[in-house]
Amino acid sequence: MNHIKFDPAEYFYFHHGMDKKVAETGASWPHYHSLYEIYFLEEGNCTYFIDNKVYNVQSGDIVIIPDGIIHHTKYDNIKHSRILINCNREYIPDSVYSSISTGNYLYRNPFVADEIRKILDKIELEYNLKDSFTDEIISCHTHSLFYLLMRNTESCIDIDDGNKVIEQAVAYIRENFSSDITLSSLAKRFSLSPEHFSRLFKKETGLGFSKYLNSLRLQYAEQILRSSEGQSITQVAEICGFEDSNYFSKKFKEVYGISPKKLQKKG
């Protein structure tokens, strides 16, 4: 079951290795967290889709994503290895907090890559140890990681961004997902044939146009359903851009594992 919003049960989550779900399809579903994400690519190549931008991530790169930012990954070679951390605000030093929330998501600095990896190894050791000192020691290590990144930002290598047309298309979709957007109309807007635009969108993002559009609409629907009981499911569907409320309910349950009506009652 794919979730648009994903948060682990704990305030600090660590995983090292290959994402098995992504390995099956080559791409993850667009999602967001109420926690920060720290991602270090150990092996392989990855296209990281963050907010409205596409990043080509290489081995040794580290990605920092603030809470609430939609993102997903696509791997050129499904075999990969990465270190993934989800953590809350307490693990980020106050003095660097504003610097990592400005949209600079990807850090490529081969001069400190070995030091980054050593800190991540220490975090993994503590995470698996889990004694009465673990939380404080992990906090110290994550602070050291952020200080290392911020102290060496000037020596970072400039990143080649992804396809500008797709970035612009994604930005447009993000702004207008609740309106009547079609593949043909969007392709025409960027002077491309629907077939070429569809192939380009899938190549860059790892997802089809309809799947990405629905993910945004469903995310918005989830927020409405959790915050209000005064609107009918048909009204919520229309607000989010779905013309058919039955189709909306079907897609919502496929993603969240619960019907819109049940989620609305729980909210």
Side-chain angles (χ1 to χ4, degrees):
M1 178 175 60
N2 294 318
H3 291 265
I4 292 178
K5 182 179 181 181
F6 170 75
D7 282 327
E10 50 202 312
Y11 291 124
F12 188 94
Y13 169 81
F14 184 100
H15 184 266
H16 183 186
M18 186 166 65
D19 187 317
K20 294 181 180 179
K21 290 183 179 179
V22 173
E24 294 174 0
T25 61
S28 63
W29 181 272
H31 63 281
Y32 66 98
H33 313 276
S34 60
L35 304 175
Y36 271 68
E37 178 161 302
I38 304 169
Y39 173 102
F40 178 80
L41 185 59
E42 182 179 40
E43 178 185 356
N45 293 297
C46 170
T47 301
Y48 222 121
F49 191 78
I50 310 172
D51 204 6
N52 296 335
K53 299 196 72 176
V54 181
Y55 297 91
N56 298 311
V57 183
Q58 302 174 5
S59 175
D61 290 349
I62 189 165
V63 178
I64 311 292
I65 305 175
D67 56 322
I69 301 295
I70 294 179
H71 58 279
H72 77 272
T73 52
K74 179 178 77 73
Y75 291 90
D76 300 329
N77 183 345
I78 295 177
K79 183 180 179 181
H80 64 278
S81 179
R82 87 285 189 268
I83 293 174
L84 177 69
I85 294 172
N86 291 116
C87 63
N88 67 7
R89 172 70 178 80
E90 295 178 6
Y91 292 89
I92 303 171
D94 291 337
S95 58
V96 305
Y97 179 71
S98 60
S99 300
I100 63 171
S101 301
T102 57
N104 294 322
Y105 304 118
L106 176 59
Y107 298 85
R108 178 174 298 158
N109 193 335
F111 301 105
V112 296
D114 288 342
E115 291 182 68
I116 291 172
R117 183 54 196 270
K118 288 177 182 177
I119 294 174
L120 292 172
D121 286 344
K122 291 178 181 178
I123 293 174
E124 182 173 14
L125 181 65
E126 281 298 328
Y127 186 77
N128 292 326
L129 181 62
K130 286 186 170 62
D131 63 16
S132 59
F133 300 105
T134 291
D135 288 342
E136 291 185 23
I137 294 175
I138 285 179
S139 181
C140 289
H141 289 325
T142 55
H143 280 215
S144 295
L145 176 63
F146 283 111
Y147 287 136
L148 176 66
L149 293 174
M150 294 304 104
R151 174 176 278 176
N152 293 278
T153 52
E154 292 185 1
S155 59
C156 283
I157 296 174
D158 290 336
I159 307 299
D160 292 329
D161 295 333
N163 189 286
K164 296 298 182 183
V165 170
I166 298 304
E167 288 185 0
Q168 293 171 23
V170 167
Y172 183 83
I173 296 170
R174 291 284 303 275
E175 291 294 325
N176 301 278
F177 65 84
S178 60
S179 62
D180 183 21
I181 301 178
T182 64
L183 176 65
S184 297
S185 65
L186 199 56
K188 184 178 180 180
R189 183 179 185 86
F190 293 97
S191 303
L192 298 172
S193 70
E195 293 78 13
H196 180 55
F197 177 80
S198 179
R199 287 194 296 270
L200 192 60
F201 194 92
K202 180 69 179 289
K203 178 184 177 183
E204 290 294 321
T205 68
L207 296 171
F209 164 77
S210 295
K211 190 172 183 179
Y212 181 73
L213 177 60
N214 280 343
S215 73
L216 296 181
R217 288 173 169 173
L218 292 172
Q219 178 200 3
Y220 188 43
E222 181 219 4
Q223 294 172 353
I224 295 173
L225 291 166
R226 290 187 184 278
S227 62
S228 173
E229 293 185 7
Q231 293 165 316
S232 68
I233 300 304
T234 298
Q235 289 174 318
V236 174
E238 290 176 353
I239 291 170
C240 297
F242 290 98
E243 295 182 0
D244 186 333
S245 60
N246 291 327
Y247 175 78
F248 161 66
S249 295
K250 177 184 177 182
K251 288 297 179 182
F252 193 92
K253 189 170 184 179
E254 283 179 3
V255 172
Y256 286 95
I258 186 174
S259 71
K261 187 174 287 294
K262 286 185 177 180
L263 181 64
Q264 190 177 45
K265 290 178 179 179
K266 287 177 64 177

